[in-house]
Structures are given as C-alpha cells and as structure tokens.
Amino acid sequence: MRIANCKTYNKLLGPEANPIRDSLMFLWYIGSLESFRSMADRFDVGKSPFHLSITRVATTVVDEIMPSVIQWPRVARIQEISNAFGDISGFQNMLGAVDGSHISIKFTYVWTGNPGSTHDASVLRSSELFAQSGELFPQGFYLLGDSAFPLLGWLVTPFKDYGNLTRNQRLFNVCHSKSRPVIERSFGLLKIRFRRLLRLDASDIKLVINSIPSACVLHNICMKMNEENFYQLDMGNDGADNNNVCDRQNPDCYQMSGVRLRNELMQQLMQIN
C-alpha cells in the first residue's frame, strides 16, 4: 500500500505514526497467519505498539481509501458490466453474484460485522445494500444468489427442488449454478492473497471487522495493478431508475417482483437453448 501524502497520514493518525513502517507491518499482518508476538519481534516493536499500528492502518484504509476503491457501478457502466456477465452466463441484465463468507473479479460491495452464525439472508437484510436497493439497481437489473437468499426483485435465486420441477425450471437452475462460482472464486482468491482472513484471532473486534474490508480494498488495488481491463467504478445517482422500489415493510412486494423476474429470465433462457 503506497501512502502518497505522509503529512496527511500523520495528521490522521497522530505524531506516533510512521507510514512506511505501519504499512509494512499491516501488509505482513493481513497476508500471513503469524502470531502477534512473532510479528512484533520481526519488526522489533512491542506487541502492543504493533497492534496499535495495524489498527491505525486498517481504520485508515476503511475510512479514507475504501470509498474510492470499492464502489457500486455507476449507471454509465451498468450495461457494459451486464453484457460481460451475459456472455459467460446467458443471463441478461445480470450485475454480479452475491454470497456470504466467514470472513477473479473486483468487489463492488462489502458488508461486515455480523457474527458467523448469522444466516446469509439475515446478513443481507441488515446491510445497506438491502436498504438502498431501489437506488442501486435500475429496472430489470439484478444479482444472482444461492437458495440461502430470499427471492427479490433485484436478487434472483434458483427454484427450490422438491422433486417436482419442470424441465424449464431444471434448466434454469443448471444455468444459475454455472453462473454463481464467480463469487466463490473471488472469496477464494481473496483468502489466498490475504491469509489472515483464514483465522482472525485478534482480540480487538474493531480490528477484526476492519481487517476484512481492508483486505478487499487491497485486493481491488492488486487487480488494478495487474489487469488492463480494470473497471473504474464510481458511485452516483445520475439517472438511476427508482421505479422498482418496493416498500421494505411489505415482503410480498419483493417476493412477487422476484417471481416475475425469475420467470422472465427462464423464458429468455428457453429461447437461447
């Protein structure tokens, strides 16, 4: 991680901050499973100063850097992104896939802080993505999610198989399952790059929570440095269509709009196949 403005960094974190040392210590922390005592010895500092240092960096990455690195795609890029997903999945207007993880694409949205025992659907409903869905998804655009998630007007899940699915519904589920691994591979690549996510054993809950989005920020930066086709995504309300907004207090509205969307997608797939 490059700290371009040391004066700004020191102003944010205090006179005890050392941007180069702090950055190196944080990168070592997030990229390994080494114990805190061993890492502190490696950098010739005490365990407590080491912990304070990486906490400062994680907080700075989340508060100051993440808003410009992990962003929802602006309207001008939505069609291009959905076209790219359509080429590999057959689904029209798909913007991506959603999943939960107990912790090779960019992350455009990250939500952390829920206990690992929380169901994926509950995590989703507590997120800002759920609260702001009417602003983030133009009419007809959506994410794919597995059966752990609810069927919504902007989140398409597979048909639940109780042994009575039609041929078209089974074909839809096959196409759906072939499209979702993109998010699983993303989680896998993230944890390979930043092995700390395999075991977050810090006692400071704020450091634990901030370590996850910090790793996602660094992951996106790595992709920007290594890939030519890096999307410069920018949040904005320029031209967003809010006609698909459902009342959050009316779950039937979400369910019925999701049913209609999934049936439309199934019919489109039948025409392709």
Side-chain angles (χ1 to χ4, degrees), residues 142-155:
Y142 56 90
L143 300 176
L144 292 187
D146 61 29
S147 57
F149 291 98
L151 177 64
L152 307 173
W154 50 270
L155 176 55

Side-chain angles (χ1 to χ4, degrees), residues 20-213:
I20 296 177
R21 180 205 63 187
D22 291 355
S23 298
L24 290 174
M25 289 196 294
F26 179 78
L27 288 172
W28 193 275
Y29 155 78
I30 200 69
S32 75
L33 288 173
E34 194 172 351
S35 70
F36 275 80
R37 184 174 300 281
S38 177
M39 289 186 291
D41 289 343
R42 180 182 296 277
F43 287 93
D44 195 25
V45 297
K47 183 178 177 181
S48 179
F50 181 88
H51 184 276
L52 290 174
S53 174
I54 62 174
T55 300
R56 287 198 301 264
V57 175
T59 301
T60 301
V61 170
V62 171
D63 293 345
E64 304 295 330
I65 301 177
M66 188 169 73
S68 63
V69 176
I70 298 181
Q71 299 179 329
W72 194 257
R74 60 185 179 183
V75 172
R77 300 288 290 180
I78 281 180
Q79 191 61 58
E80 180 180 349
I81 294 171
S82 68
N83 289 342
F85 275 115
D87 290 340
I88 63 175
S89 69
F91 285 99
Q92 299 180 21
N93 292 347
M94 173 184 170
L95 287 181
V98 62
D99 202 354
S101 176
H102 283 257
I103 40 175
S104 44
I105 60 170
K106 285 183 66 228
F107 290 95
T108 57
Y109 183 84
V110 178
W111 180 262
T112 63
N114 297 84
S117 59
T118 308
H119 192 276
D120 285 351
S122 297
V123 175
L124 175 68
R125 291 188 182 277
S126 68
S127 71
E128 293 176 356
L129 177 67
F130 186 87
Q132 300 174 6
S133 59
E135 302 172 8
L136 299 179
F137 293 90
Q139 182 71 33
F141 288 87
Y142 56 90
L143 300 176
L144 292 187
D146 61 29
S147 57
F149 291 98
L151 177 64
L152 307 173
W154 50 270
L155 176 55
V156 177
T157 59
F159 290 96
K160 293 188 177 181
D161 190 355
Y162 300 109
N164 60 343
L165 294 184
T166 66
R167 176 183 177 277
N168 289 352
Q169 289 171 333
R170 290 196 299 270
L171 178 59
F172 176 90
N173 282 1
V174 170
C175 294
H176 193 286
S177 65
K178 289 181 178 179
S179 303
R180 286 201 319 273
V182 62
I183 187 63
E184 302 292 349
R185 290 195 297 269
S186 298
F187 282 135
L189 179 57
L190 177 70
K191 293 179 180 180
I192 289 173
R193 270 191 171 132
F194 304 108
R195 295 182 60 79
R196 179 64 52 181
L197 301 186
L198 296 174
R199 189 180 70 245
L200 286 166
D201 53 359
S203 58
D204 184 349
I205 188 63
K206 182 177 181 181
L207 175 59
V208 170
I209 292 174
N210 283 345
S211 292
I212 301 170

Side-chain angles (χ1 to χ4, degrees), residues 241-252:
D241 185 347
N242 296 329
N243 292 331
N244 62 331
V245 180
C246 277
D247 184 353
R248 294 186 64 204
Q249 304 302 320
N250 184 1
D252 290 339

